[in-house]
Amino acid sequence: MAGKTSLEEAVEKLKAGIGAENVLEVKYQPPRNVFVLVKTEKLKDAVSYIMKNLNYQYVITITGVDLIKQNQMEVIYHLTDYSNTISLRVRIPRDNPKVPTITDIIPGATLYEREVHDMFGIVFEGHPNLVKLLLPDGWPEDLHPLRKDVTVQQIRERLEEERKKGVRGI
Amino acid sequence: MALGLVKWARIKSPWILHFNTGACNACDIEVLAALTPRFDVERFGILLKGSPRHADVMVVTGSVTRQIRDRLVRVYEQMPEPKFVLAVGNCAATGGVFQQCYNVYEGIDKVIPVDVYVPGCPPRPEAIIYGVVKLLEKLAKS
Amino acid sequence: MSGEYEPESIFEIPVGPQHPALKEPILLHFKIEGDIIVDVIPRPAYTHRGIEKATEARNYIQNIYLCERVCGICSFIHTLVYTQGVERLAEVEPPPRAKYIRVIVSELERIHSHALWLGVAAHELGFDTLFYYIWRDRELVMDLLELITGNRVNYAMSTVGGVRRDITDEVAHQIKKGMKIFRERLDVYTEVVEQEPTLRKRVVDVGKLSPHDAVALCAVGPTLRATGVKRDVRADDPYQAYDEIPFNVATYHTGDVLAQIVVRVLEMYEAANIIDYALDHMPGGPIRVKVPWNIAPNEVISRGEAPRGELFYYFKSNGTEKPERVKIRTPTLANIPAVRQMLLGYHIAEIPIVFASIDPCLSCTARFSFIDVKTGKSWVWDREQLRRYSLKWYGKQ
Ligand code: SF4
């Protein structure tokens, strides 16, 4: 399979580019996808290396995952050259979730960072305008619906409470 | 006498307003399909209007999301009396598949009164037309 | 004159009435100077229902029906990409016949969606005759879809491990007949797009996007292809049976609204060809395999080309019957930065068609608020008022 070998090559180059010790885990997934875990401080280097030197053009989206058992959060950047996809990920502590923004490298990532911020409360440092995207205006700032420790019931009760307090739009 | 005339006119040509409160679009395209040549509800005098102030019947599709709730109530209040509400789709009736989603109300009758429910996910255009006819019967009796 | 712009400070009047044609609600704040748009701030929050959270509480089979209803127009591609992802999670391969059936249904869906869009675009331009013609012909495709799947819109066709209904020879024959008629109708529309001066006046050189911007802003689907960039998940990262079916990726070079129309018309032709080819080359055999109820911990991504562009799912399983995390990225979200770029520098009158040109899946309650940066006056319009204004404005020209 031609696709796979070029993906393996890409990972080799990435390792050489940002230093093999900063790549913590590599997992291939059929048909043309690889998950690569890198150190958080090397995230921006990795993204710009992939975009500039490997000629990947496009970030499909950014996924947040709440790893509540490890007390961590995961941010996954799905980067693609349209055919192969590198899912670059970082793990960050759950009680202080912060990653640098990549919007200066890829302007198209703006909305995705805002979405992850809405849903998980992960802060993208340096983002030009990190305001709510999907959640309504009156939504409480500290309520992040996709975190594993809030249930649908709790969200609803909380929103009802806010509504009673006079907050509109929720 | 004049009232009788108004009522007669209303039954002959009810004007409807279509409101999407957070539907998945399937119901909306079926409502729209009911207006286009194949089904053509306009032959019954049913006209789609752009403003609540002109409408007799509000056709609501979709589960009510929390953001849209206040807007729905306001639009409903802007309609002149007597007003009628047709809830199209399972979402509008009960929340449908979106029950248990944190951001929806389970059915629009939690927010505004509903006269006729059209079940289905999405209901066929024929079913929507049937719902409108039922509503007209209700109107005639009112 | 520019000052820090506060969305909260806008004077808003609730204009409930919805545009009958476009769907989900979005609020766009426009900054205008005179008649020219200088900035757009989208706020696509109104149909947020919390689906991703709900997927975590349901099992893999129940989630098919939930994901199908993320969007009712591209419902099949949602189930396709969803089930493809779950199959990858469980490491099972659907039978070849199922793959072909999926291709056929998703191409039929592409035709119905593009036809719907073309009608809507015609309506936005005040060309209602075309709108009604197209919607009439679209019913032909709806009938075929109903024949195959048993329902007009949400088909519940694709399931984990295959598809739920087979395409028999009689049905195949009907589909071919339908495609023949539809091609003839398409020829008529091509002629309209090529020759009708009233249409061309409104769409040529409006809403221009350069290929460079389109790529930088991560645009997808026909919006990207209309700038001449040849990218299509079906060709680049083939899924299901697309690697066995020859087809062209339609592109057009001008990057304006006309290009978007042309690309979509070409794609409809292409889809009809794909359907014919797939029907002729469909292998026999079963249409479904069994998939275990509980799925071992794993994570995968799944991509597919929806009518509006790339649809993306990310899955993480945890060994139970319910997913740990499902992430959905729909094409419209990806195209919002691009549409913003497309609107800058154009007149208010062009908003409806430019905005409609990306085929937004979120528009019905769309209210447009305007701020005149010179006078500081602000007002809110709904789509219908905007459309009327736009028609009037062009009437004066
Ligand atoms: S009832 Fe079904 S088709 Fe209609 S909006 Fe709800 S989910 Fe969509």
Side-chain angles (χ1 to χ4, degrees), chain C residues 165-181:
Chain C
R165 286 163 200 251
D166 204 353
I167 293 181
T168 61
D169 289 345
E170 289 139 64
V171 174
H173 179 69
Q174 286 287 332
I175 301 173
K176 281 199 162 164
K177 233 167 65 189
M179 283 303 107
K180 194 156 157 278
I181 304 172

Side-chain angles (χ1 to χ4, degrees), chain A:
Chain A
M1 251 169 76
K4 181 144 187 182
T5 50
S6 71
L7 198 57
E8 274 165 3
E9 256 170 48
V11 173
E12 287 312 314
K13 279 192 197 152
L14 176 67
K15 274 188 183 164
I18 64 164
E21 71 284 0
N22 296 316
V23 177
L24 303 175
E25 187 193 284
V26 178
K27 198 163 79 186
Y28 289 95
Q29 283 292 359
R32 279 167 289 272
N33 176 223
V34 61
F35 286 89
V36 180
L37 177 66
V38 294
K39 286 192 183 154
T40 315
E41 52 288 5
K42 283 288 168 190
L43 171 73
K44 284 191 89 146
D45 293 349
V47 171
S48 57
Y49 187 84
I50 292 173
M51 301 303 277
K52 299 214 174 86
N53 300 28
L54 301 182
N55 209 14
Y56 277 45
Q57 291 112 338
Y58 152 53
V59 52
I60 306 177
T61 190
I62 301 172
T63 309
V65 182
D66 187 359
L67 305 171
I68 193 163
K69 284 196 201 105
Q70 289 98 309
N71 201 20
Q72 276 177 324
M73 297 240 205
E74 194 172 79
V75 186
I76 314 180
Y77 300 80
H78 304 277
L79 308 167
T80 176
D81 66 351
Y82 294 95
S83 163
N84 302 309
T85 309
I86 297 183
S87 297
L88 198 68
R89 59 177 159 200
V90 292
R91 300 225 168 103
I92 46 180
R94 199 164 178 283
D95 33 22
N96 185 20
K98 266 191 202 147
V99 280
T101 180
I102 60 160
T103 47
D104 44 345
I105 308 169
I106 316 165
T110 329
L111 295 184
Y112 307 134
E113 291 193 347
R114 283 170 61 188
E115 186 188 345
V116 175
H117 174 71
D118 274 6
M119 296 301 168
F120 292 93
I122 294 171
V123 178
F124 290 85
E125 289 176 307
H127 188 285
N129 184 19
L130 201 60
V131 296
K132 287 199 198 93
L133 176 73
L134 290 179
L135 297 178
D137 287 328
W139 192 278
E141 290 298 333
D142 57 338
L143 186 61
H144 302 293
L146 281 185
R147 288 199 178 190
K148 288 275 177 191
D149 52 0
V150 283
T151 63
V152 170
Q153 201 49 40
Q154 279 166 347
I155 297 176
R156 285 192 169 168
E157 279 162 15
R158 176 75 197 275
L159 292 179
E160 272 315 313
E161 243 171 63
E162 296 284 328
R163 229 190 130 76
K164 279 198 197 101
K165 279 190 222 153
V167 180
R168 282 293 166 260
I170 51 169

Side-chain angles (χ1 to χ4, degrees), chain B residues 23-24 26-27 89-91 98 120-122, chain C residues 69 154:
Chain B
C24 79
C27 278
N90 289 351
C91 279
F98 303 117
C121 188
Chain C
R69 284 159 181 79
N154 287 337

Side-chain angles (χ1 to χ4, degrees), chain C residues 177-188:
Chain C
K177 233 167 65 189
M179 283 303 107
K180 194 156 157 278
I181 304 172
F182 193 77
R183 270 202 204 94
E184 282 162 18
R185 299 299 308 163
L186 264 181
D187 292 341
V188 177

Side-chain angles (χ1 to χ4, degrees), chain B residues 30-134:
Chain B
E30 292 297 64
V31 169
L32 193 55
L35 295 164
T36 48
R38 159 77 71 87
F39 301 99
D40 194 15
V41 291
E42 272 192 30
R43 68 203 147 122
F44 302 124
I46 299 170
L47 266 188
L48 192 69
K49 279 289 137 189
S51 162
R53 295 177 210 279
H54 297 163
D56 304 306
V57 179
M58 176 152 65
V59 175
V60 185
T61 54
S63 51
V64 184
T65 61
R66 298 191 83 103
Q67 302 83 307
I68 214 106
R69 172 203 171 132
D70 294 340
R71 230 138 264 155
L72 176 65
V73 172
R74 257 144 113 185
V75 169
Y76 180 73
E77 282 165 359
Q78 283 173 356
M79 285 170 60
E81 290 282 352
K83 46 195 168 191
F84 304 89
V85 176
L86 184 69
V88 172
N90 289 351
C91 279
T94 64
V97 282
F98 303 117
Q99 279 179 11
Q100 308 297 323
C101 288
Y102 55 82
N103 212 27
V104 301
Y105 289 97
E106 287 163 355
I108 62 165
D109 47 8
K110 303 259 184 319
V111 183
I112 55 173
V114 178
D115 295 281
V116 174
Y117 298 89
V118 182
C121 188
R124 300 177 58 86
E126 290 95 327
I128 297 171
I129 296 172
Y130 182 69
V132 175
V133 172
K134 280 271 167 211

